[in-house]
Amino acid sequence: MFKKILIANRGEIALRVIRAAREMGIQSVAVHSTADSDAMHVRMADEAICVGPPPGTDSYLSMPAIISACEITGAEAIHPGYGFLSENANFVQIVEDHALKFIGPTAEHIRIMGDKITAKETMKNLGVPCVPGSDGGVPDLDEAYKVGDEIGYPVIVKATAGGGGRGMKLANSKAEMENAFRTARSEGKSAFGNDEVYIEKYLGTPRHIEIQVFGDGKGRAVHLGERDCSLQRRHQKVFEEAPGPAIDAKTRAKIGKVCADAVASINYAGAGTIEFLYENDEFYFIEMNTRLQVEHPVTEAIFGVDLVQEQIRVAAGEEMSFQQKDLEVNGHAIEVRINAEKVPAFTPCPGKITQYHAPGGLGVRMDSALYDGYSIPPYYDSLIAKLIVHAADRPTALARLKRALGELIVDGIDTTTPLFDALLQEDAVLTGDYNIHWLEKWLEANTPE
């Protein structure tokens, strides 16, 4: 087992890894920018080292700085968290070239799943159901028209290297194809340096269902059920729950086995999430995230496992601590993402926290790096906390979430907490009868002009 690991991240996810490591008797090294010198993850780690100025490109994304930090501190492995370098295949290769261990999958698997076209082809060959669409990239507008005619409108044009909703454009008819095609290519080139696009059938009212998988890198893998992440704004998740309100045990076992078998067959190592659109009882693969997800706590809650410790264990060459037969769903869990943003415009709201009180009690977990007097810097993602509740069933979990939100105090800045207070008054949320478009429509109807 490792004696010391470095966490190449910040905020709540860095704290999450530090806590997992400490329970395993492993020392932790925090890296930080000059803007994060007083951050909680810096205070909590066994060691901390500055890796650059505030911009992420000069600190948390600086591969030479991260590798140097390992060499200076004697860390044997790097946990990337999520975001930043977590899905950068080149970084993984550099880590391995320096005789260090990356706590995650191989560079090859990250590379395969990081390209949307290659990922889709790979999953299709492994028996995972996919959305009807183009066979690979679409080189020009003539081919785009041909694909649109073949699969039928509406279609969505997606940048091959896209993510976070960027490089995705809807064409409801052939007349809209040219604008969607050119805009998606332009956004892909601007955001990711790659203007290749592909085209898929656009599903009208799907849910976003993702399957948590975990492999040992030696041909064995399990699934840990599904999460429903359908409540989204601009393709960004805000509310996640497990198990999904629309998925029964038989369906869960069937699609879970398909996913586990797929990653086992390629000797996948560590945590991964296979994301689907789900409509009319059919699953359609959209992408695989080769890292720990923001919403992993809801899966941990219903299965009673620690996914971060499992990542560390497998990266160190040890056996997985559980098998498929050990994994049984226990109750229901919900996570809401609390951002430093002003509702309803969702504009970033960095600033100093004048008072902070985390909710507590049975079945309540608060993953956050906030503290009284902390100043949220303006340079990074606006996610400041994740509130997770777990209960015997969904109605009790919803009631617990409402109670916990009422206890939460974050003064000095605006947060998205009012959004969740409002959502918990809506019948569609209370019954679980929503899809990936529901929140956008609700916000449009409930936002003053």
Side-chain angles (χ1 to χ4, degrees), residues 207-212 223-230 239-253 255 278 283 295-304 327-335 388-398 429-434:
R207 302 180 80 104
H208 182 121
I209 303 294
E210 57 187 36
I211 307 297
Q212 176 72 62
H223 74 86
L224 294 95
E226 82 287 354
R227 296 183 289 258
D228 191 319
C229 307
S230 301
F239 180 110
E240 301 109 345
E241 57 183 313
I247 306 297
D248 59 28
K250 183 177 179 181
T251 303
R252 177 179 307 114
I255 191 62
Y278 178 71
F283 288 90
E295 59 272 22
H296 75 274
V298 294
T299 297
E300 293 181 325
I302 65 170
F303 285 105
L327 299 170
E328 295 185 6
V329 174
N330 174 28
H332 197 91
I334 302 171
E335 172 183 295
I388 307 103
V389 297
H390 179 224
D393 52 41
R394 189 171 188 271
T396 308
L398 287 166
V429 175
L430 297 178
T431 61
D433 184 19
Y434 52 77

Side-chain angles (χ1 to χ4, degrees), residues 168-247:
M168 297 172 58
K169 295 299 168 184
L170 176 66
N172 287 294
S173 64
K174 191 168 186 175
E176 297 181 8
M177 176 61 88
E178 180 176 1
N179 182 61
F181 181 79
R182 297 192 188 285
T183 304
R185 287 191 66 172
S186 176
E187 288 187 5
K189 181 68 173 178
S190 175
F192 310 106
N194 184 347
D195 67 355
E196 185 178 40
V197 298
Y198 63 105
I199 298 175
E200 288 182 340
K201 179 70 176 176
Y202 179 74
L203 302 176
T205 57
R207 302 180 80 104
H208 182 121
I209 303 294
E210 57 187 36
I211 307 297
Q212 176 72 62
V213 292
F214 205 101
D216 67 357
K218 305 170 186 176
R220 292 184 293 274
V222 299
H223 74 86
L224 294 95
E226 82 287 354
R227 296 183 289 258
D228 191 319
C229 307
S230 301
L231 288 177
Q232 302 179 10
R233 174 184 172 271
R234 296 184 177 177
H235 303 284
Q236 297 293 316
K237 305 164 187 173
V238 301
F239 180 110
E240 301 109 345
E241 57 183 313
I247 306 297

